[in-house]
Amino acid sequence: MIANLIYLLFFLGSVFLPASLSTMETTLSPDEQELFNLINSYRESRGLSAVPFSSALTQVAQVHAKDLMENYTQGGRCNMHSWSNKGPWKSCCYRDNHKNPECMWDKPMEIAGYNSPGYEIAYWHSAAAQPGITLDVWKKSPGHHAVIANLGVFKDAEWKAMGVGIYQGYAVVWFGEMEG
């Protein structure tokens, strides 16, 4: 009985606590792995280097995709880079005017102990986020494409880490300039 309770507390802690407090290794689902591979294949087709997998950024991506699915309202005043007040993180409302970029950039440090800003791209589909369609939509969006393909303000960024999360209708990818 005590052993079962300890296991349950450990399991719940690894699911609901910030990743920096969890000791479980982060893995990719088949769809997440496919999206990770598609992004790197696309980058390589453009003469860019592949971005290494990041367990820390994947933890943030997976947590955020689930938070979006369970708590985000499409069409509200806050965009998909926002975080609810329903978890062990600081909630924030990220708006399209980008006046509060720390709301997004600091989440990898807060949630996973990643000691560098993170840059997120997010996608939503009412039925399900599918890897190929997700990347196709991002390639057609100037802001998302700039992050993936190192264009515009991201021209000089050297992505050393990428994390992927897909949960039902949401796909979230984080890029970082620090290994990990």
Side-chain angles (χ1 to χ4, degrees):
M1 177 70 172
I2 298 290
N4 289 341
L5 181 59
I6 290 171
Y7 175 76
L8 178 63
L9 290 173
F10 174 77
F11 175 75
L12 290 175
S14 67
V15 172
F16 295 108
L17 293 176
S20 61
L21 300 178
S22 172
T23 58
M24 295 185 71
E25 181 66 24
T26 302
T27 58
L28 296 174
S29 71
D31 280 349
E32 291 166 340
Q33 184 68 55
E34 182 181 349
L35 182 55
F36 178 84
N37 292 340
L38 286 169
I39 290 170
N40 274 328
S41 292
Y42 178 66
R43 286 179 54 80
E44 290 171 340
S45 77
R46 296 179 56 89
L48 299 167
S49 61
V51 183
F53 171 78
S54 167
S55 181
L57 292 179
T58 294
Q59 291 170 349
V60 178
Q62 290 172 344
V63 167
H64 198 208
K66 187 171 184 181
D67 181 49
L68 287 167
M69 188 67 209
E70 294 176 353
N71 302 301
Y72 180 71
T73 302
Q74 290 291 331
R77 65 184 186 99
C78 305
N79 69 26
M80 287 191 290
H81 300 303
S82 301
W83 289 75
S84 76
N85 62 357
K86 306 275 197 259
W89 52 74
K90 182 179 166 190
S91 66
C92 70
C93 177
Y94 192 91
R95 296 189 185 173
D96 292 336
N97 63 13
H98 306 290
K99 287 189 177 179
N100 182 19
E102 295 80 16
C103 174
M104 174 184 26
W105 296 347
D106 293 349
K107 285 301 176 208
M109 172 59 136
E110 178 185 348
I111 292 173
Y114 182 80
N115 290 316
S116 183
Y119 303 91
E120 178 187 54
I121 56 176
Y123 167 82
W124 172 75
H125 190 280
S126 60
Q130 298 175 7
I133 294 170
T134 298
L135 180 58
D136 287 344
V137 168
W138 283 337
K139 286 167 35 179
K140 294 174 186 167
S141 165
H144 296 95
H145 191 239
V147 177
I148 294 168
N150 290 102
L151 301 171
V153 298
F154 297 101
K155 168 179 73 129
D156 296 324
E158 187 178 340
W159 301 136
K160 294 183 179 178
M162 177 173 40
V164 179
I166 296 177
Y167 187 75
Q168 297 177 12
Y170 286 91
V172 175
V173 174
W174 284 83
F175 291 86
E177 295 182 281
M178 181 186 92
E179 292 176 5

